[in-house]
Amino acid sequence: MKQTNYQLFDFLDFDPAMTGEESLWKACAPISLELDGFDVVFEIPFQKQKNANDIEPDKETPRKIYSLRMRAYGAKIIRLAIGFDEHAMTDSVMLDIHPELSVNPLRFEKTEDEWLIKDSTGMTRASLNRRPVAIDFWSDLVPGPEETLDLTFYPDGEKAVKVSAYDQFFPARHDAYALAVVEKDGQLDRTTMSFHADADEKFVGTGERFTKMDLSGQTFQLKNQDGQGVNNRRAYKNVPFLMSSRMYGIFMHTSAHGKLSMADHSTRSVQLLVEEPAMDVFLIGGDEPEEILKGYRQLTGFPTMLPKWSFGTWMSRMTYFSEEEVNEICNRLRKEDYPCDVIHLDTGWFRTDWLCEWKFNPERFPDPKRFVQNLRNDGYKVSLWQMPYIAAEAEQLAEARNKKYMCKVNEVKQQGGSNFSALDYAGTIDFTYPKAVEWYKGLLKELLDMGVVCIKTDFGEDIHMDAEYHGMSPDKLNNLYALLYQKAAYEITKEVTGDGIVWARAGWAGCQRYPLHWGGDSACSWDGLAGSLKGGLHIGLSGFGFWSHDVPGFHGVPNFMNSVIPDDLYVRWTQFGVFSSHLRYHGTSKREPYEYPAISGIVRNWLKLRYALIPYLMEQSEKTTQTGFPVLRALIFHHPKDKMCWHIDDQYYFGDDFMVAPVMNSENRRDVYLPDGEWVNLFSGKLTQGNCWLNNFECPLDEMPVWVKKGAQISVYPHHVSNTDEIDLAKTEKLVFAETYTGIENSILADLLK
């Protein structure tokens, strides 16, 4: 449909011809306020509007009364919920509310001009304006404003988050609605709510966005789908959470499809739309981004700590096909001194490439348990690829169909080759059905009992939509599916191995509880590198703590499978991987560093640096599991008042102390912004006073633009290892960035990096 530039059509999805059986019901001023337990409840009349772009109330149709419930959690979180045909506040698998986050009883005070809602400490958490609009009458050319919902919330008791009561040109021409519900074919269908946006307000989060840091002026669909790269508007990981530069967050608690518009359809409003007749929203206050993200995690769960071996190098390509091939690669990595912990087998370990049956090919892997154990004896852990779809040729098809472990599909398509999410499989495993979950866990348990340590929970962004599932409708399951899928794999992996871990691509609210996630199928290009970093920054601003990416990109350009990867791209992406929470080589062609002889020595040194930094990385990871910080952090986590940092999407903090600026071109130079503070260059030791730009900063291929906060004491392991089993954390030392630091070549890491 063509854009009309009117909110009713472009955001609320009305047919511009107004021929459909749809109507808008707009919230009016509340008529009562009551206590219900610890909550307060507003009784709000909704008035039907006439179907036209210039809307006006249909006063011949009686109003309908609905209840808006408000609850406070602690001192900095407010929950607002309205259910038009169901309960207003419901629990879901998305929520994992922390025990410390207790409900704070509310009460209210009424005056003629204002209703005040206060918590148990006497702090004001909301106010309803009942004052008449001030006027100086001189014309009746345009009628006065209609009734509206004029509410202001104070999530932390201080900062005001105001509902968009009067986002309009004149009373009949709205750019946003404070609160409204759409009726379709006689049934309540979708809900919208809006909050006021300041002229200079900026927004971040909403999932893994491959776009600029400040999201103001953009609208995003909250519908998971295969991103098919990292340079478009599609998203593997939508998260219905955003954070404002005014230091508040909004979490829309739903799995239904929806939209978030951040000062886009109207520069005066943040607009929420959910395709269900309910709205359940958490407003999260705080003084710093980390505090707001911690509040979000207190609602939806904290990431769990990952095992030490996971922070080492993961080696993979699409794909390894036999025990002989894997052994040859692993032996060569050891022989040529490339430290590595994980060997990942992608789509080729089955009977037929891409035909996921959760069983090793008996000809190419004749004794998989022995194969896995031999690798473990050499310090390698094995990770395996699979997917949540049942192929028409899979040996499990009949069982899955007969026992209803997969969805009931109304139309089965002919399966193709490598698929890439065309979703032409026979069905999707139904994780809303407990028996199907246990069946799936059983498939994985056989592999984990062999000694496999991690399951790659690939795909899961798309499900069969023309199908029936046990627990919910496909439109509600689509976004939530990733959480149910990853939860099952995570739980059985932790049960069998003791380590809670998956390697996942899709995501939704709550998925951060089941780390770790990677950024999907990026192109092997500078554009792919830049898009990957943007995605990593935004997913870190959406509650996720651990995130990785395919080094040096997943697919070739322009030949998807076979384009040659430039040496400098391989090195620069390796550097990015070293300073990410996890480092995995993967893609459609050769990924092993010895296949790039001209730069293999440079890569070897970078992998040794990675292993030297594992003690620091583990310290920062522990912090990630208890706070709102991700490992890879946007600059605004530490400099929220620096307006420049709200626009920088090509630099990041690696933990508390490193400032990392990847080179993303073949010219070996870039502009770098150093925020306030004193910064020591990791390689040269040169000290620079921050709050400045280093324009056209030159950096040779074997180095990277990395700075460390002056005075930082970085935990490092300055000893040679081939894998993390050889790291004795008791032998960790401190690399101190004081006046005595004159560069990495003169440091305690010098012998390791020769």
Side-chain angles (χ1 to χ4, degrees), residues 343-362:
I343 191 77
H344 171 72
L345 278 64
D346 217 60
T347 63
W349 60 281
F350 308 114
R351 172 168 53 94
T352 303
D353 189 19
W354 280 89
L355 180 58
C356 176
E357 295 178 298
W358 295 275
K359 291 185 178 181
F360 280 90
N361 180 296

Side-chain angles (χ1 to χ4, degrees), residues 322-336 343 371 375 380 592 594-595:
S322 69
E323 175 180 357
E324 181 181 9
E325 181 183 20
V326 171
N327 288 337
E328 180 182 347
I329 288 167
C330 290
N331 290 337
R332 187 166 179 183
L333 289 171
R334 289 283 185 260
K335 180 180 178 181
E336 299 190 18
I343 191 77
F371 162 69
L375 289 171
Y380 287 104
E592 300 77 26
Y594 53 73
E595 298 288 357

Side-chain angles (χ1 to χ4, degrees), residues 333-334 337-341 378-380 611 719-726:
L333 289 171
R334 289 283 185 260
D337 196 21
Y338 297 101
C340 184
D341 269 79
D378 194 23
Y380 287 104
Y611 277 69
H719 311 290
H720 174 83
V721 296
S722 64
N723 62 83
T724 57
D725 290 343
E726 299 172 2

Side-chain angles (χ1 to χ4, degrees), residues 12-220:
L12 295 186
D13 295 326
F14 273 72
D15 179 0
M18 303 299 272
T19 56
E21 293 296 321
E22 291 187 307
S23 57
L24 180 71
W25 291 76
K26 190 167 74 72
C28 303
I31 55 176
S32 69
L33 179 61
E34 304 293 339
L35 282 177
D36 184 7
F38 291 159
D39 304 342
V40 295
V41 179
F42 296 89
E43 294 298 314
I44 301 176
F46 280 72
Q47 180 70 63
K48 185 178 181 181
Q49 307 296 307
K50 294 180 179 179
N51 274 9
N53 190 32
D54 290 345
I55 70 164
E56 58 179 307
D58 178 1
K59 294 186 177 179
E60 294 182 0
T61 301
R63 292 180 170 189
K64 296 180 180 180
I65 310 297
Y66 297 106
S67 298
L68 175 66
R69 180 175 293 269
M70 176 179 167
R71 179 177 296 169
Y73 292 85
K76 299 201 173 183
I77 298 177
I78 289 172
R79 186 177 187 180
L80 309 167
I82 187 166
F84 297 94
D85 62 356
E86 55 189 44
H87 295 294
M89 288 186 181
T90 58
D91 291 330
S92 78
V93 70
M94 290 172 276
L95 297 180
D96 185 23
I97 296 179
H98 197 275
E100 294 179 1
L101 202 61
S102 58
V103 175
N104 190 341
L106 296 175
R107 59 185 176 84
F108 60 82
E109 300 173 3
K110 288 184 178 182
T111 68
E112 184 178 348
D113 291 336
E114 189 175 35
W115 293 353
L116 292 177
I117 293 89
K118 297 185 177 183
D119 65 17
S120 60
T121 68
M123 187 164 58
T124 298
R125 308 298 292 274
S127 64
L128 176 72
N129 180 24
R130 293 175 57 82
R131 300 175 185 87
V133 176
I135 62 171
D136 182 9
F137 183 82
W138 73 278
S139 173
D140 58 2
L141 178 65
V142 176
E146 296 290 341
E147 268 190 79
T148 187
L149 184 64
D150 196 352
L151 266 170
T152 302
F153 299 98
Y154 304 90
D156 60 1
E158 297 178 3
K159 287 184 292 294
V161 181
K162 187 175 177 59
V163 170
S164 286
Y166 296 105
D167 191 343
Q168 61 192 50
F169 175 55
F170 52 80
R173 182 66 58 83
H174 287 254
D175 289 323
Y177 297 95
L179 180 61
V181 63
V182 177
E183 190 176 84
K184 181 178 181 180
D185 298 327
Q187 301 294 320
L188 294 168
D189 183 68
R190 55 194 186 272
T191 311
T192 184
M193 190 172 191
S194 305
F195 298 93
H196 176 75
D198 285 351
D200 64 345
E201 195 167 348
K202 293 164 279 291
F203 303 95
V204 294
T206 80
E208 189 182 40
R209 299 293 167 203
F210 310 120
T211 189
K212 298 295 184 181
M213 176 58 58
D214 176 17
L215 300 179
S216 62
Q218 298 197 61
T219 297
F220 293 107

Side-chain angles (χ1 to χ4, degrees), residues 589-606:
S589 59
K590 297 174 181 176
R591 290 298 185 266
E592 300 77 26
Y594 53 73
E595 298 288 357
Y596 301 82
I599 45 90
S600 59
I602 295 175
V603 174
R604 182 184 295 109
N605 268 1
W606 276 95

